Amino acid sequence: EIILAIPSASPKVTRDILKICNQTTCKLKILPGMYQLITEDVSVSKLRDVSIEDLLGRDPIKVDLESVRGFIEGKCIMVTGGGGSIGSELCRQIAKYKPSRLIIFDIYENNAYDIQQELKLNHPELNLTVLIGSVRNTSRIESVMKTYRPDVVYHAAAHKHVPLMEDSPNEAIKNNVFGTYKTARAADKFGVKRFVLISTDKAVNPTNIMGASKRMCEMIIQTFNRYSKTEYVAVRFGNVLGSNGSVIPLFKRQMAAGGPLTVTHPDIIRYFMTIPEAVSLVLEAGAFAKGGEIFVLDMGEPVKIADLAKNLIRLSGYTLGVDMDIKYTGLRPGEKLYEELLVKEEGIQKTENNLIYIGKPLEFNEVHFLSGLRELEEAAMNESLNVKQIVSEIVPTYHIRQEDLKRDEAVNKELRELGKISHEKPVMED
């Protein structure tokens, strides 16, 4: 057993030491930080297992707390998708800065209930309003904004799972694109001062409908920003550790079931950040936005998913190939080997925080874009099988991979056949 007993070491130093330790077959433990050493007696029970976060170790993110406080304190803040992984962490951090009111808006009542109970317990003084509703429902979202008149809206409501959206592309369009459009329009109509869209690195040169839908969300807020008094901005970042449906919880479930751990490709890489880190940067970016920016978070070094799986196996006391295996399953529909945080044309501009950059927004024909949106909405509402092709005409950087195109054609052919069969069945009379 190796015990790392350098509590004052920075996360980067810790990571580098653990990488060396990881070459052995020893089990790894880590001593608590300096604060615990000062305030508590350190015994063997205080040693903790090394976590994936330790192996990814990066120096703590410094946030300009005063600019965030000045931006939020005393204001009415609304978070759509407030019960989700990112949305709920936004609510936790916003609650610390004493808003006049925090509105959580979510379609999923269980998620909304969980964060409501947590905030009531931890912030009994908070003026909290939790509302159930969909961003796709124009009258509902407008009614909420008309009643409460939020100063700032964080728009985190979205469908995010790439493979699921490949199979239900119309839902990605209805929820992500038109949910964003309706929420952004309501923000303009009822005098919201700033609208912050939570975006993703998958919006850059997208190969899947989820990424393409988020790129359209960015285009929507860029368009609104030109004509509205509301300041519209987007914040784009990569994968967050431990979010619902992310790779670490999946690996842990697979390990508990005896394995194997499934990785789509030996070379697939992703950028990772913890949820609190990402959200603190979102809040800071929102605080010094002027309108129209696409903020890009520095996600650190990319990580091989296969290495993540190997490390998790090691940290759990197993031996790869003996106690636990890794199985490579092939890239999923719409999945890239690597994600990009910027397209080349965007370039980057530094901000006061060296982990937050501003991408120069791409120019596009707004008239063509808005007319394309009308056609797209009609297609999605009519459950068209052609929606991905329509999106590719609106988003020039969206490229459907050949293997996904063939798969879609086969699926659509089957759906048409099923449709014919179901229409031939006699209608039962009462």
Side-chain angles (χ1 to χ4, degrees):
E1 199 166 81
I2 296 175
I3 298 171
L4 175 58
I6 318 177
S8 58
S10 71
K12 187 179 182 305
V13 170
T14 301
R15 181 191 68 194
D16 293 342
I17 293 171
L18 290 174
K19 275 185 179 173
I20 299 165
C21 298
N22 222 9
Q23 305 303 311
T24 73
T25 56
C26 300
K27 191 162 175 58
L28 305 179
K29 295 266 187 184
I30 197 162
L31 202 66
M34 284 302 292
Y35 178 75
Q36 286 93 329
L37 285 178
I38 293 164
T39 57
E40 301 172 7
D41 293 323
V42 172
S43 63
V44 174
S45 65
K46 294 290 190 298
L47 295 174
R48 65 171 177 81
D49 289 336
V50 173
S51 70
I52 282 290
E53 284 84 348
D54 295 320
L55 286 171
L56 290 175
R58 50 193 286 158
D59 290 331
I61 284 176
K62 293 183 176 69
V63 176
D64 183 352
L65 297 179
E66 287 315 305
S67 69
V68 174
R69 184 180 304 283
F71 178 55
I72 289 172
E73 193 170 21
K75 295 194 177 79
C76 179
I77 313 288
M78 179 174 174
V79 181
T80 71
S85 307
I86 299 294
S88 61
E89 180 62 25
L90 272 167
C91 294
R92 285 183 199 100
Q93 294 197 24
I94 288 165
K96 296 175 189 172
Y97 294 107
K98 300 179 180 170
S100 63
R101 182 188 297 272
L102 173 59
I103 303 163
I104 296 176
F105 186 78
D106 205 299
I107 187 68
Y108 302 111
E109 60 174 340
N110 292 340
N111 287 354
Y113 177 79
D114 287 344
I115 187 65
Q116 179 189 48
Q117 296 310 303
E118 181 186 330
L119 291 176
K120 275 184 173 179
L121 182 68
N122 295 333
H123 299 277
E125 77 296 341
L126 179 66
N127 185 6
L128 180 65
T129 302
V130 179
L131 302 171
I132 301 301
S134 171
V135 292
R136 288 154 63 157
N137 184 332
T138 303
S139 57
R140 178 62 173 148
I141 195 77
E142 290 196 352
S143 156
V144 170
M145 291 208 196
K146 183 180 180 181
T147 302
Y148 294 98
R149 304 284 172 151
D151 298 295
V152 183
V153 172
Y154 289 95
H155 182 54
H159 286 323
K160 66 174 187 176
H161 291 290
V162 168
L164 286 179
M165 292 304 101
E166 287 301 294
D167 292 335
S168 301
N170 289 317
E171 293 307 298
I173 298 305
K174 290 176 206 171
N175 202 51
N176 296 2
V177 177
F178 293 103
T180 296
Y181 185 88
K182 290 170 182 182
T183 309
R185 186 174 59 190
D188 169 57
K189 191 171 178 180
F190 296 104
V192 170
K193 293 182 180 66
R194 193 165 295 166
F195 182 101
V196 182
L197 168 74
I198 305 298
S199 192
T200 167
D201 56 3
K202 291 172 180 64
V204 183
N205 294 324
T207 55
N208 53 69
I209 194 69
M210 195 288 282
S213 72
K214 292 298 270 188
R215 175 64 194 128
M216 291 178 77
C217 295
E218 293 179 352
M219 293 164 80
I220 285 166
I221 64 120
Q222 282 176 242
T223 304
F224 269 101
N225 190 69
R226 284 169 63 95
Y227 303 104
S228 172
K229 288 180 180 175
T230 302
E231 296 162 347
Y232 293 86
V233 300
V235 184
R236 193 191 280 166
F237 52 86
N239 295 17
V240 285
L241 279 174
S243 68
N244 295 332
S246 72
V247 70
I248 299 296
L250 172 66
F251 283 164
K252 286 180 175 174
R253 284 197 302 274
Q254 289 175 336
M255 206 174 279
L261 273 60
T262 56
V263 178
T264 58
H265 193 283
D267 298 323
I268 194 165
I269 62 172
R270 289 291 180 267
Y271 292 94
F272 282 100
M273 188 179 271
T274 67
I275 297 175
E277 284 177 329
V279 165
S280 64
L281 290 176
V282 167
L283 290 175
E284 185 171 348
F288 57 58
K290 293 180 175 64
E293 303 99 331
I294 294 178
F295 289 98
V296 182
L297 304 190
D298 180 346
M299 299 294 292
E301 294 298 314
V303 178
K304 266 193 175 183
I305 302 294
D307 289 347
L308 214 53
K310 289 171 190 171
N311 286 333
L312 197 59
I313 288 169
R314 277 276 305 106
L315 291 178
S316 304
Y318 297 116
T319 303
L320 179 62
V322 178
D323 311 303
M324 194 67 60
D325 293 318
I326 293 174
K327 181 183 175 186
Y328 295 103
T329 56
L331 287 176
R332 298 173 300 177
E335 192 170 47
K336 285 183 183 181
L337 272 180
Y338 64 96
E339 300 294 353
E340 308 147 271
L341 288 167
L342 280 171
V343 297
K344 286 176 187 171
E345 294 85 352
E346 284 176 314
I348 53 171
Q349 176 189 333
K350 287 188 173 180
T351 68
E352 294 159 37
N353 187 324
N354 61 7
L355 293 176
I356 304 174
Y357 297 89
I358 299 173
K360 184 172 176 286
L362 293 174
E363 297 297 320
F364 57 91
N365 185 319
E366 287 173 10
V367 176
H368 170 71
F369 174 58
L370 293 171
S371 66
L373 276 187
R374 278 191 289 274
E375 181 192 353
L376 181 63
E377 184 173 30
E378 190 177 334
M381 292 304 176
N382 291 328
E383 303 300 336
S384 165
L385 300 178
N386 199 36
V387 76
K388 288 182 184 177
Q389 281 67 33
I390 298 171
V391 170
S392 67
E393 289 165 16
I394 299 172
V395 182
T397 54
Y398 172 42
H399 300 292
I400 309 169
R401 299 184 316 185
Q402 280 304 309
E403 55 266 43
D404 292 335
L405 210 52
K406 286 175 186 170
R407 175 184 166 279
D408 286 347
E409 284 168 4
V411 168
N412 289 348
K413 184 180 177 186
E414 184 184 2
L415 290 173
R416 287 188 187 98
E417 292 301 318
L418 286 170
K420 283 178 193 170
I421 294 165
S422 63
H423 289 147
E424 287 165 8
K425 287 181 183 174
V427 178
M428 295 293 287
E429 292 184 9
D430 290 338

